[in-house]
PDB file of all heavy atoms in Angstrom:
ATOM      1  N   GLY U   1     -37.269  46.920  -6.739  1.00  0.00           N
ATOM      2  CA  GLY U   1     -36.766  48.037  -5.947  1.00  0.00           C
ATOM      3  C   GLY U   1     -37.856  49.041  -5.616  1.00  0.00           C
ATOM      4  O   GLY U   1     -37.958  49.518  -4.481  1.00  0.00           O
ATOM      5  N   ASN U   2     -38.697  49.366  -6.595  1.00  0.00           N
ATOM      6  CA  ASN U   2     -39.777  50.322  -6.359  1.00  0.00           C
ATOM      7  C   ASN U   2     -40.800  49.765  -5.387  1.00  0.00           C
ATOM      8  O   ASN U   2     -41.291  50.484  -4.502  1.00  0.00           O
ATOM      9  CB  ASN U   2     -40.446  50.686  -7.683  1.00  0.00           C
ATOM     10  CG  ASN U   2     -41.521  51.744  -7.530  1.00  0.00           C
ATOM     11  OD1 ASN U   2     -42.709  51.443  -7.519  1.00  0.00           O
ATOM     12  ND2 ASN U   2     -41.107  52.993  -7.380  1.00  0.00           N
ATOM     13  N   TRP U   3     -41.135  48.501  -5.548  1.00  0.00           N
ATOM     14  CA  TRP U   3     -42.099  47.874  -4.633  1.00  0.00           C
ATOM     15  C   TRP U   3     -41.558  47.861  -3.207  1.00  0.00           C
ATOM     16  O   TRP U   3     -42.278  48.157  -2.248  1.00  0.00           O
ATOM     17  CB  TRP U   3     -42.404  46.459  -5.107  1.00  0.00           C
ATOM     18  CG  TRP U   3     -43.285  45.692  -4.161  1.00  0.00           C
ATOM     19  CD1 TRP U   3     -44.634  45.817  -3.990  1.00  0.00           C
ATOM     20  CD2 TRP U   3     -42.851  44.687  -3.234  1.00  0.00           C
ATOM     21  NE1 TRP U   3     -45.080  44.947  -3.026  1.00  0.00           N
ATOM     22  CE2 TRP U   3     -44.000  44.231  -2.548  1.00  0.00           C
ATOM     23  CE3 TRP U   3     -41.623  44.109  -2.935  1.00  0.00           C
ATOM     24  CZ2 TRP U   3     -43.941  43.255  -1.568  1.00  0.00           C
ATOM     25  CZ3 TRP U   3     -41.559  43.127  -1.958  1.00  0.00           C
ATOM     26  CH2 TRP U   3     -42.714  42.714  -1.294  1.00  0.00           C
ATOM     27  N   SER U   4     -40.273  47.549  -3.063  1.00  0.00           N
ATOM     28  CA  SER U   4     -39.656  47.489  -1.730  1.00  0.00           C
ATOM     29  C   SER U   4     -39.656  48.859  -1.063  1.00  0.00           C
ATOM     30  O   SER U   4     -40.019  49.003   0.115  1.00  0.00           O
ATOM     31  CB  SER U   4     -38.217  46.971  -1.840  1.00  0.00           C
ATOM     32  OG  SER U   4     -38.178  45.702  -2.448  1.00  0.00           O
ATOM     33  N   VAL U   5     -39.247  49.878  -1.813  1.00  0.00           N
ATOM     34  CA  VAL U   5     -39.168  51.233  -1.262  1.00  0.00           C
ATOM     35  C   VAL U   5     -40.550  51.776  -0.941  1.00  0.00           C
ATOM     36  O   VAL U   5     -40.784  52.325   0.145  1.00  0.00           O
ATOM     37  CB  VAL U   5     -38.437  52.167  -2.249  1.00  0.00           C
ATOM     38  CG1 VAL U   5     -38.620  53.620  -1.858  1.00  0.00           C
ATOM     39  CG2 VAL U   5     -36.966  51.821  -2.319  1.00  0.00           C
ATOM     40  N   CYS U   6     -41.476  51.628  -1.873  1.00  0.00           N
ATOM     41  CA  CYS U   6     -42.800  52.222  -1.703  1.00  0.00           C
ATOM     42  C   CYS U   6     -43.645  51.490  -0.669  1.00  0.00           C
ATOM     43  O   CYS U   6     -44.608  52.058  -0.142  1.00  0.00           O
ATOM     44  CB  CYS U   6     -43.520  52.282  -3.045  1.00  0.00           C
ATOM     45  SG  CYS U   6     -42.735  53.446  -4.199  1.00  0.00           S
ATOM     46  N   THR U   7     -43.308  50.257  -0.377  1.00  0.00           N
ATOM     47  CA  THR U   7     -43.974  49.565   0.724  1.00  0.00           C
ATOM     48  C   THR U   7     -43.658  50.262   2.042  1.00  0.00           C
ATOM     49  O   THR U   7     -44.532  50.409   2.914  1.00  0.00           O
ATOM     50  CB  THR U   7     -43.516  48.097   0.791  1.00  0.00           C
ATOM     51  OG1 THR U   7     -43.896  47.430  -0.424  1.00  0.00           O
ATOM     52  CG2 THR U   7     -44.164  47.372   1.959  1.00  0.00           C
ATOM     53  N   LEU U   8     -42.411  50.723   2.173  1.00  0.00           N
ATOM     54  CA  LEU U   8     -41.999  51.454   3.375  1.00  0.00           C
ATOM     55  C   LEU U   8     -42.579  52.866   3.401  1.00  0.00           C
ATOM     56  O   LEU U   8     -42.720  53.464   4.473  1.00  0.00           O
ATOM     57  CB  LEU U   8     -40.470  51.525   3.445  1.00  0.00           C
ATOM     58  CG  LEU U   8     -39.739  50.180   3.509  1.00  0.00           C
ATOM     59  CD1 LEU U   8     -38.230  50.403   3.478  1.00  0.00           C
ATOM     60  CD2 LEU U   8     -40.135  49.410   4.767  1.00  0.00           C
ATOM     61  N   LEU U   9     -42.900  53.397   2.234  1.00  0.00           N
ATOM     62  CA  LEU U   9     -43.450  54.759   2.140  1.00  0.00           C
ATOM     63  C   LEU U   9     -44.975  54.762   2.028  1.00  0.00           C
ATOM     64  O   LEU U   9     -45.568  55.737   1.578  1.00  0.00           O
ATOM     65  CB  LEU U   9     -42.855  55.475   0.916  1.00  0.00           C
ATOM     66  CG  LEU U   9     -41.337  55.690   0.923  1.00  0.00           C
ATOM     67  CD1 LEU U   9     -40.888  56.356  -0.364  1.00  0.00           C
ATOM     68  CD2 LEU U   9     -40.927  56.545   2.130  1.00  0.00           C
ATOM     69  N   ASP U  10     -45.585  53.656   2.443  1.00  0.00           N
ATOM     70  CA  ASP U  10     -47.056  53.545   2.450  1.00  0.00           C
ATOM     71  C   ASP U  10     -47.659  53.683   1.059  1.00  0.00           C
ATOM     72  O   ASP U  10     -48.745  54.268   0.883  1.00  0.00           O
ATOM     73  CB  ASP U  10     -47.686  54.594   3.382  1.00  0.00           C
ATOM     74  CG  ASP U  10     -47.246  54.417   4.824  1.00  0.00           C
ATOM     75  OD1 ASP U  10     -47.102  53.262   5.247  1.00  0.00           O
ATOM     76  OD2 ASP U  10     -47.031  55.433   5.505  1.00  0.00           O
ATOM     77  N   GLY U  11     -46.977  53.159   0.059  1.00  0.00           N
ATOM     78  CA  GLY U  11     -47.513  53.180  -1.300  1.00  0.00           C
ATOM     79  C   GLY U  11     -48.618  52.151  -1.463  1.00  0.00           C
ATOM     80  O   GLY U  11     -48.593  51.090  -0.839  1.00  0.00           O
ATOM     81  N   GLU U  12     -49.564  52.444  -2.332  1.00  0.00           N
ATOM     82  CA  GLU U  12     -50.700  51.549  -2.541  1.00  0.00           C
ATOM     83  C   GLU U  12     -50.471  50.555  -3.680  1.00  0.00           C
ATOM     84  O   GLU U  12     -51.272  49.646  -3.881  1.00  0.00           O
ATOM     85  CB  GLU U  12     -51.960  52.366  -2.845  1.00  0.00           C
ATOM     86  CG  GLU U  12     -52.395  53.274  -1.702  1.00  0.00           C
ATOM     87  CD  GLU U  12     -53.667  54.039  -2.023  1.00  0.00           C
ATOM     88  OE1 GLU U  12     -54.316  53.692  -3.047  1.00  0.00           O
ATOM     89  OE2 GLU U  12     -54.023  54.958  -1.267  1.00  0.00           O
ATOM     90  N   GLY U  13     -49.411  50.734  -4.425  1.00  0.00           N
ATOM     91  CA  GLY U  13     -49.165  49.884  -5.587  1.00  0.00           C
ATOM     92  C   GLY U  13     -48.726  48.477  -5.222  1.00  0.00           C
ATOM     93  O   GLY U  13     -47.863  48.283  -4.365  1.00  0.00           O
ATOM     94  N   THR U  14     -49.326  47.504  -5.883  1.00  0.00           N
ATOM     95  CA  THR U  14     -48.915  46.120  -5.704  1.00  0.00           C
ATOM     96  C   THR U  14     -47.789  45.799  -6.692  1.00  0.00           C
ATOM     97  O   THR U  14     -47.512  46.565  -7.624  1.00  0.00           O
ATOM     98  CB  THR U  14     -50.086  45.162  -5.966  1.00  0.00           C
ATOM     99  OG1 THR U  14     -50.525  45.317  -7.333  1.00  0.00           O
ATOM    100  CG2 THR U  14     -51.242  45.448  -5.026  1.00  0.00           C
ATOM    101  N   LEU U  15     -47.137  44.672  -6.474  1.00  0.00           N
ATOM    102  CA  LEU U  15     -46.049  44.266  -7.365  1.00  0.00           C
ATOM    103  C   LEU U  15     -46.563  44.094  -8.793  1.00  0.00           C
ATOM    104  O   LEU U  15     -45.897  44.491  -9.757  1.00  0.00           O
ATOM    105  CB  LEU U  15     -45.433  42.953  -6.868  1.00  0.00           C
ATOM    106  CG  LEU U  15     -44.069  42.560  -7.442  1.00  0.00           C
ATOM    107  CD1 LEU U  15     -43.012  43.593  -7.085  1.00  0.00           C
ATOM    108  CD2 LEU U  15     -43.659  41.186  -6.926  1.00  0.00           C
ATOM    109  N   LYS U  16     -47.749  43.543  -8.949  1.00  0.00           N
ATOM    110  CA  LYS U  16     -48.356  43.340 -10.266  1.00  0.00           C
ATOM    111  C   LYS U  16     -48.638  44.675 -10.943  1.00  0.00           C
ATOM    112  O   LYS U  16     -48.332  44.862 -12.127  1.00  0.00           O
ATOM    113  CB  LYS U  16     -49.644  42.535 -10.123  1.00  0.00           C
ATOM    114  CG  LYS U  16     -50.392  42.329 -11.436  1.00  0.00           C
ATOM    115  CD  LYS U  16     -51.696  41.561 -11.224  1.00  0.00           C
ATOM    116  CE  LYS U  16     -52.473  41.419 -12.526  1.00  0.00           C
ATOM    117  NZ  LYS U  16     -53.756  40.684 -12.321  1.00  0.00           N
ATOM    118  N   ARG U  17     -49.219  45.605 -10.194  1.00  0.00           N
ATOM    119  CA  ARG U  17     -49.565  46.898 -10.779  1.00  0.00           C
ATOM    120  C   ARG U  17     -48.308  47.669 -11.190  1.00  0.00           C
ATOM    121  O   ARG U  17     -48.273  48.295 -12.260  1.00  0.00           O
ATOM    122  CB  ARG U  17     -50.382  47.726  -9.790  1.00  0.00           C
ATOM    123  CG  ARG U  17     -50.855  49.062 -10.352  1.00  0.00           C
ATOM    124  CD  ARG U  17     -51.631  49.851  -9.328  1.00  0.00           C
ATOM    125  NE  ARG U  17     -52.850  49.160  -8.933  1.00  0.00           N
ATOM    126  CZ  ARG U  17     -53.583  49.506  -7.890  1.00  0.00           C
ATOM    127  NH1 ARG U  17     -53.200  50.506  -7.111  1.00  0.00           N
ATOM    128  NH2 ARG U  17     -54.685  48.847  -7.612  1.00  0.00           N
ATOM    129  N   ILE U  18     -47.279  47.639 -10.361  1.00  0.00           N
ATOM    130  CA  ILE U  18     -46.030  48.324 -10.689  1.00  0.00           C
ATOM    131  C   ILE U  18     -45.425  47.733 -11.958  1.00  0.00           C
ATOM    132  O   ILE U  18     -44.945  48.460 -12.837  1.00  0.00           O
ATOM    133  CB  ILE U  18     -45.029  48.216  -9.527  1.00  0.00           C
ATOM    134  CG1 ILE U  18     -45.559  48.933  -8.292  1.00  0.00           C
ATOM    135  CG2 ILE U  18     -43.674  48.813  -9.916  1.00  0.00           C
ATOM    136  CD1 ILE U  18     -44.765  48.655  -7.035  1.00  0.00           C
ATOM    137  N   CYS U  19     -45.459  46.410 -12.064  1.00  0.00           N
ATOM    138  CA  CYS U  19     -44.906  45.723 -13.233  1.00  0.00           C
ATOM    139  C   CYS U  19     -45.654  46.124 -14.508  1.00  0.00           C
ATOM    140  O   CYS U  19     -45.034  46.463 -15.518  1.00  0.00           O
ATOM    141  CB  CYS U  19     -44.976  44.214 -13.022  1.00  0.00           C
ATOM    142  SG  CYS U  19     -44.348  43.239 -14.418  1.00  0.00           S
ATOM    143  N   ILE U  20     -46.968  46.096 -14.454  1.00  0.00           N
ATOM    144  CA  ILE U  20     -47.788  46.426 -15.633  1.00  0.00           C
ATOM    145  C   ILE U  20     -47.609  47.886 -16.021  1.00  0.00           C
ATOM    146  O   ILE U  20     -47.344  48.207 -17.188  1.00  0.00           O
ATOM    147  CB  ILE U  20     -49.266  46.117 -15.363  1.00  0.00           C
ATOM    148  CG1 ILE U  20     -49.486  44.602 -15.224  1.00  0.00           C
ATOM    149  CG2 ILE U  20     -50.146  46.667 -16.483  1.00  0.00           C
ATOM    150  CD1 ILE U  20     -50.889  44.210 -14.806  1.00  0.00           C
ATOM    151  N   PHE U  21     -47.740  48.791 -15.064  1.00  0.00           N
ATOM    152  CA  PHE U  21     -47.635  50.218 -15.363  1.00  0.00           C
ATOM    153  C   PHE U  21     -46.247  50.567 -15.895  1.00  0.00           C
ATOM    154  O   PHE U  21     -46.112  51.355 -16.828  1.00  0.00           O
ATOM    155  CB  PHE U  21     -47.939  51.042 -14.107  1.00  0.00           C
ATOM    156  CG  PHE U  21     -49.407  51.138 -13.774  1.00  0.00           C
ATOM    157  CD1 PHE U  21     -50.328  50.267 -14.326  1.00  0.00           C
ATOM    158  CD2 PHE U  21     -49.880  52.104 -12.893  1.00  0.00           C
ATOM    159  CE1 PHE U  21     -51.674  50.345 -14.030  1.00  0.00           C
ATOM    160  CE2 PHE U  21     -51.221  52.204 -12.576  1.00  0.00           C
ATOM    161  CZ  PHE U  21     -52.122  51.321 -13.145  1.00  0.00           C
ATOM    162  N   SER U  22     -45.212  49.988 -15.283  1.00  0.00           N
ATOM    163  CA  SER U  22     -43.842  50.278 -15.713  1.00  0.00           C
ATOM    164  C   SER U  22     -43.584  49.750 -17.120  1.00  0.00           C
ATOM    165  O   SER U  22     -42.926  50.412 -17.934  1.00  0.00           O
ATOM    166  CB  SER U  22     -42.839  49.662 -14.728  1.00  0.00           C
ATOM    167  OG  SER U  22     -42.959  50.224 -13.443  1.00  0.00           O
ATOM    168  N   ALA U  23     -44.102  48.560 -17.417  1.00  0.00           N
ATOM    169  CA  ALA U  23     -43.918  47.979 -18.747  1.00  0.00           C
ATOM    170  C   ALA U  23     -44.619  48.815 -19.813  1.00  0.00           C
ATOM    171  O   ALA U  23     -44.047  49.094 -20.874  1.00  0.00           O
ATOM    172  CB  ALA U  23     -44.445  46.542 -18.776  1.00  0.00           C
ATOM    173  N   TYR U  24     -45.832  49.256 -19.517  1.00  0.00           N
ATOM    174  CA  TYR U  24     -46.562  50.095 -20.474  1.00  0.00           C
ATOM    175  C   TYR U  24     -45.822  51.408 -20.726  1.00  0.00           C
ATOM    176  O   TYR U  24     -45.864  51.955 -21.835  1.00  0.00           O
ATOM    177  CB  TYR U  24     -47.965  50.396 -19.953  1.00  0.00           C
ATOM    178  CG  TYR U  24     -48.954  49.242 -20.073  1.00  0.00           C
ATOM    179  CD1 TYR U  24     -48.500  47.925 -20.217  1.00  0.00           C
ATOM    180  CD2 TYR U  24     -50.318  49.450 -20.038  1.00  0.00           C
ATOM    181  CE1 TYR U  24     -49.391  46.867 -20.318  1.00  0.00           C
ATOM    182  CE2 TYR U  24     -51.225  48.390 -20.149  1.00  0.00           C
ATOM    183  CZ  TYR U  24     -50.757  47.105 -20.280  1.00  0.00           C
ATOM    184  OH  TYR U  24     -51.635  46.051 -20.394  1.00  0.00           O
ATOM    185  N   SER U  25     -45.148  51.906 -19.688  1.00  0.00           N
ATOM    186  CA  SER U  25     -44.404  53.164 -19.819  1.00  0.00           C
ATOM    187  C   SER U  25     -43.212  53.043 -20.760  1.00  0.00           C
ATOM    188  O   SER U  25     -42.733  54.050 -21.297  1.00  0.00           O
ATOM    189  CB  SER U  25     -43.910  53.618 -18.438  1.00  0.00           C
ATOM    190  OG  SER U  25     -44.983  53.809 -17.551  1.00  0.00           O
ATOM    191  N   LEU U  26     -42.723  51.839 -20.966  1.00  0.00           N
ATOM    192  CA  LEU U  26     -41.554  51.621 -21.821  1.00  0.00           C
ATOM    193  C   LEU U  26     -41.863  51.688 -23.310  1.00  0.00           C
ATOM    194  O   LEU U  26     -40.948  51.787 -24.134  1.00  0.00           O
ATOM    195  CB  LEU U  26     -40.935  50.252 -21.516  1.00  0.00           C
ATOM    196  CG  LEU U  26     -40.208  50.086 -20.183  1.00  0.00           C
ATOM    197  CD1 LEU U  26     -39.772  48.622 -20.021  1.00  0.00           C
ATOM    198  CD2 LEU U  26     -39.009  51.003 -20.097  1.00  0.00           C
ATOM    199  N   ILE U  27     -43.146  51.634 -23.667  1.00  0.00           N
ATOM    200  CA  ILE U  27     -43.528  51.500 -25.078  1.00  0.00           C
ATOM    201  C   ILE U  27     -42.915  52.574 -25.986  1.00  0.00           C
ATOM    202  O   ILE U  27     -42.352  52.242 -27.031  1.00  0.00           O
ATOM    203  CB  ILE U  27     -45.063  51.467 -25.212  1.00  0.00           C
ATOM    204  CG1 ILE U  27     -45.602  50.162 -24.612  1.00  0.00           C
ATOM    205  CG2 ILE U  27     -45.495  51.583 -26.673  1.00  0.00           C
ATOM    206  CD1 ILE U  27     -47.115  50.059 -24.592  1.00  0.00           C
ATOM    207  N   PRO U  28     -43.000  53.875 -25.654  1.00  0.00           N
ATOM    208  CA  PRO U  28     -42.398  54.872 -26.557  1.00  0.00           C
ATOM    209  C   PRO U  28     -40.892  54.668 -26.749  1.00  0.00           C
ATOM    210  O   PRO U  28     -40.388  54.819 -27.872  1.00  0.00           O
ATOM    211  CB  PRO U  28     -42.691  56.200 -25.849  1.00  0.00           C
ATOM    212  CG  PRO U  28     -43.890  55.926 -25.014  1.00  0.00           C
ATOM    213  CD  PRO U  28     -43.720  54.522 -24.546  1.00  0.00           C
ATOM    214  N   TYR U  29     -40.189  54.326 -25.672  1.00  0.00           N
ATOM    215  CA  TYR U  29     -38.743  54.118 -25.784  1.00  0.00           C
ATOM    216  C   TYR U  29     -38.423  52.890 -26.622  1.00  0.00           C
ATOM    217  O   TYR U  29     -37.524  52.918 -27.465  1.00  0.00           O
ATOM    218  CB  TYR U  29     -38.125  53.975 -24.392  1.00  0.00           C
ATOM    219  CG  TYR U  29     -36.644  53.705 -24.419  1.00  0.00           C
ATOM    220  CD1 TYR U  29     -35.750  54.690 -24.838  1.00  0.00           C
ATOM    221  CD2 TYR U  29     -36.136  52.462 -24.059  1.00  0.00           C
ATOM    222  CE1 TYR U  29     -34.387  54.443 -24.878  1.00  0.00           C
ATOM    223  CE2 TYR U  29     -34.776  52.214 -24.092  1.00  0.00           C
ATOM    224  CZ  TYR U  29     -33.912  53.202 -24.505  1.00  0.00           C
ATOM    225  OH  TYR U  29     -32.558  52.954 -24.554  1.00  0.00           O
ATOM    226  N   VAL U  30     -39.172  51.815 -26.396  1.00  0.00           N
ATOM    227  CA  VAL U  30     -38.966  50.592 -27.174  1.00  0.00           C
ATOM    228  C   VAL U  30     -39.241  50.850 -28.651  1.00  0.00           C
ATOM    229  O   VAL U  30     -38.482  50.412 -29.524  1.00  0.00           O
ATOM    230  CB  VAL U  30     -39.868  49.449 -26.650  1.00  0.00           C
ATOM    231  CG1 VAL U  30     -39.777  48.232 -27.562  1.00  0.00           C
ATOM    232  CG2 VAL U  30     -39.481  49.077 -25.229  1.00  0.00           C
ATOM    233  N   ALA U  31     -40.320  51.573 -28.936  1.00  0.00           N
ATOM    234  CA  ALA U  31     -40.637  51.918 -30.324  1.00  0.00           C
ATOM    235  C   ALA U  31     -39.521  52.750 -30.940  1.00  0.00           C
ATOM    236  O   ALA U  31     -39.155  52.559 -32.108  1.00  0.00           O
ATOM    237  CB  ALA U  31     -41.961  52.681 -30.380  1.00  0.00           C
ATOM    238  N   ALA U  32     -38.953  53.666 -30.148  1.00  0.00           N
ATOM    239  CA  ALA U  32     -37.870  54.518 -30.643  1.00  0.00           C
ATOM    240  C   ALA U  32     -36.630  53.700 -31.004  1.00  0.00           C
ATOM    241  O   ALA U  32     -35.922  54.028 -31.960  1.00  0.00           O
ATOM    242  CB  ALA U  32     -37.514  55.571 -29.596  1.00  0.00           C
ATOM    243  N   LEU U  33     -36.363  52.627 -30.258  1.00  0.00           N
ATOM    244  CA  LEU U  33     -35.213  51.775 -30.562  1.00  0.00           C
ATOM    245  C   LEU U  33     -35.337  51.166 -31.965  1.00  0.00           C
ATOM    246  O   LEU U  33     -34.371  51.171 -32.744  1.00  0.00           O
ATOM    247  CB  LEU U  33     -35.095  50.656 -29.523  1.00  0.00           C
ATOM    248  CG  LEU U  33     -34.708  51.062 -28.097  1.00  0.00           C
ATOM    249  CD1 LEU U  33     -34.684  49.837 -27.197  1.00  0.00           C
ATOM    250  CD2 LEU U  33     -33.358  51.765 -28.073  1.00  0.00           C
ATOM    251  N   TYR U  34     -36.517  50.658 -32.268  1.00  0.00           N
ATOM    252  CA  TYR U  34     -36.736  50.041 -33.582  1.00  0.00           C
ATOM    253  C   TYR U  34     -36.762  51.092 -34.691  1.00  0.00           C
ATOM    254  O   TYR U  34     -36.168  50.889 -35.763  1.00  0.00           O
ATOM    255  CB  TYR U  34     -38.047  49.257 -33.580  1.00  0.00           C
ATOM    256  CG  TYR U  34     -38.029  48.016 -32.730  1.00  0.00           C
ATOM    257  CD1 TYR U  34     -38.536  48.021 -31.446  1.00  0.00           C
ATOM    258  CD2 TYR U  34     -37.491  46.819 -33.217  1.00  0.00           C
ATOM    259  CE1 TYR U  34     -38.521  46.876 -30.652  1.00  0.00           C
ATOM    260  CE2 TYR U  34     -37.478  45.671 -32.440  1.00  0.00           C
ATOM    261  CZ  TYR U  34     -37.990  45.708 -31.159  1.00  0.00           C
ATOM    262  OH  TYR U  34     -37.974  44.581 -30.379  1.00  0.00           O
ATOM    263  N   ILE U  35     -37.456  52.201 -34.445  1.00  0.00           N
ATOM    264  CA  ILE U  35     -37.590  53.238 -35.475  1.00  0.00           C
ATOM    265  C   ILE U  35     -36.241  53.844 -35.824  1.00  0.00           C
ATOM    266  O   ILE U  35     -35.909  54.026 -37.005  1.00  0.00           O
ATOM    267  CB  ILE U  35     -38.571  54.335 -35.009  1.00  0.00           C
ATOM    268  CG1 ILE U  35     -39.984  53.765 -34.891  1.00  0.00           C
ATOM    269  CG2 ILE U  35     -38.570  55.515 -35.990  1.00  0.00           C
ATOM    270  CD1 ILE U  35     -40.976  54.716 -34.251  1.00  0.00           C
ATOM    271  N   THR U  36     -35.438  54.164 -34.810  1.00  0.00           N
ATOM    272  CA  THR U  36     -34.128  54.770 -35.082  1.00  0.00           C
ATOM    273  C   THR U  36     -33.186  53.800 -35.781  1.00  0.00           C
ATOM    274  O   THR U  36     -32.368  54.215 -36.603  1.00  0.00           O
ATOM    275  CB  THR U  36     -33.478  55.260 -33.778  1.00  0.00           C
ATOM    276  OG1 THR U  36     -33.458  54.197 -32.805  1.00  0.00           O
ATOM    277  CG2 THR U  36     -34.250  56.440 -33.200  1.00  0.00           C
ATOM    278  N   THR U  37     -33.307  52.517 -35.458  1.00  0.00           N
ATOM    279  CA  THR U  37     -32.476  51.518 -36.144  1.00  0.00           C
ATOM    280  C   THR U  37     -32.816  51.472 -37.627  1.00  0.00           C
ATOM    281  O   THR U  37     -31.917  51.430 -38.488  1.00  0.00           O
ATOM    282  CB  THR U  37     -32.673  50.126 -35.521  1.00  0.00           C
ATOM    283  OG1 THR U  37     -32.336  50.165 -34.137  1.00  0.00           O
ATOM    284  CG2 THR U  37     -31.788  49.095 -36.216  1.00  0.00           C
ATOM    285  N   ILE U  38     -34.111  51.496 -37.936  1.00  0.00           N
ATOM    286  CA  ILE U  38     -34.544  51.503 -39.344  1.00  0.00           C
ATOM    287  C   ILE U  38     -34.110  52.797 -40.027  1.00  0.00           C
ATOM    288  O   ILE U  38     -33.596  52.779 -41.151  1.00  0.00           O
ATOM    289  CB  ILE U  38     -36.075  51.331 -39.430  1.00  0.00           C
ATOM    290  CG1 ILE U  38     -36.493  49.946 -38.915  1.00  0.00           C
ATOM    291  CG2 ILE U  38     -36.555  51.521 -40.872  1.00  0.00           C
ATOM    292  CD1 ILE U  38     -37.983  49.754 -38.784  1.00  0.00           C
ATOM    293  N   MET U  39     -34.284  53.925 -39.351  1.00  0.00           N
ATOM    294  CA  MET U  39     -33.907  55.217 -39.924  1.00  0.00           C
ATOM    295  C   MET U  39     -32.420  55.295 -40.234  1.00  0.00           C
ATOM    296  O   MET U  39     -32.008  55.947 -41.203  1.00  0.00           O
ATOM    297  CB  MET U  39     -34.293  56.350 -38.959  1.00  0.00           C
ATOM    298  CG  MET U  39     -35.782  56.588 -38.823  1.00  0.00           C
ATOM    299  SD  MET U  39     -36.171  57.855 -37.566  1.00  0.00           S
ATOM    300  CE  MET U  39     -35.454  59.311 -38.309  1.00  0.00           C
ATOM    301  N   SER U  40     -31.602  54.641 -39.415  1.00  0.00           N
ATOM    302  CA  SER U  40     -30.150  54.708 -39.609  1.00  0.00           C
ATOM    303  C   SER U  40     -29.703  54.111 -40.935  1.00  0.00           C
ATOM    304  O   SER U  40     -28.618  54.427 -41.434  1.00  0.00           O
ATOM    305  CB  SER U  40     -29.434  53.991 -38.456  1.00  0.00           C
ATOM    306  OG  SER U  40     -29.641  52.580 -38.519  1.00  0.00           O
ATOM    307  N   HIS U  41     -30.543  53.251 -41.518  1.00  0.00           N
ATOM    308  CA  HIS U  41     -30.197  52.625 -42.796  1.00  0.00           C
ATOM    309  C   HIS U  41     -30.675  53.439 -44.000  1.00  0.00           C
ATOM    310  O   HIS U  41     -30.367  53.090 -45.139  1.00  0.00           O
ATOM    311  CB  HIS U  41     -30.799  51.220 -42.863  1.00  0.00           C
ATOM    312  CG  HIS U  41     -30.156  50.255 -41.920  1.00  0.00           C
ATOM    313  ND1 HIS U  41     -28.991  49.572 -42.219  1.00  0.00           N
ATOM    314  CD2 HIS U  41     -30.503  49.870 -40.664  1.00  0.00           C
ATOM    315  CE1 HIS U  41     -28.654  48.795 -41.208  1.00  0.00           C
ATOM    316  NE2 HIS U  41     -29.554  48.962 -40.246  1.00  0.00           N
ATOM    317  N   PHE U  42     -31.423  54.508 -43.723  1.00  0.00           N
ATOM    318  CA  PHE U  42     -31.947  55.324 -44.825  1.00  0.00           C
ATOM    319  C   PHE U  42     -31.406  56.760 -44.809  1.00  0.00           C
ATOM    320  O   PHE U  42     -31.529  57.468 -45.801  1.00  0.00           O
ATOM    321  CB  PHE U  42     -33.483  55.365 -44.772  1.00  0.00           C
ATOM    322  CG  PHE U  42     -34.124  54.043 -45.074  1.00  0.00           C
ATOM    323  CD1 PHE U  42     -34.489  53.187 -44.049  1.00  0.00           C
ATOM    324  CD2 PHE U  42     -34.357  53.644 -46.386  1.00  0.00           C
ATOM    325  CE1 PHE U  42     -35.082  51.958 -44.321  1.00  0.00           C
ATOM    326  CE2 PHE U  42     -34.948  52.417 -46.659  1.00  0.00           C
ATOM    327  CZ  PHE U  42     -35.308  51.577 -45.637  1.00  0.00           C
TER     328      PHE U  42
END
């Protein structure tokens, strides 16, 4: 969706770059999922 929209808005990001950058951005949230699950048992 982002690649499709930003192509129309003259964005410079490629599909590969959007995928990599977006995945890296998920790291804190993903870490929080595991940490909070462990914390819930203590």
Side-chain angles (χ1 to χ4, degrees):
N2 184 259
W3 175 77
S4 302
V5 167
C6 293
T7 298
L8 300 176
L9 298 178
D10 298 323
E12 297 182 11
T14 61
L15 195 62
K16 177 182 177 181
R17 183 181 297 167
I18 296 169
C19 179
I20 293 174
F21 283 17
S22 297
Y24 284 20
S25 301
L26 289 175
I27 291 176
Y29 178 69
V30 173
L33 292 178
Y34 291 97
I35 294 172
T36 52
T37 301
I38 295 172
M39 290 175 65
S40 70
H41 291 276
F42 292 95

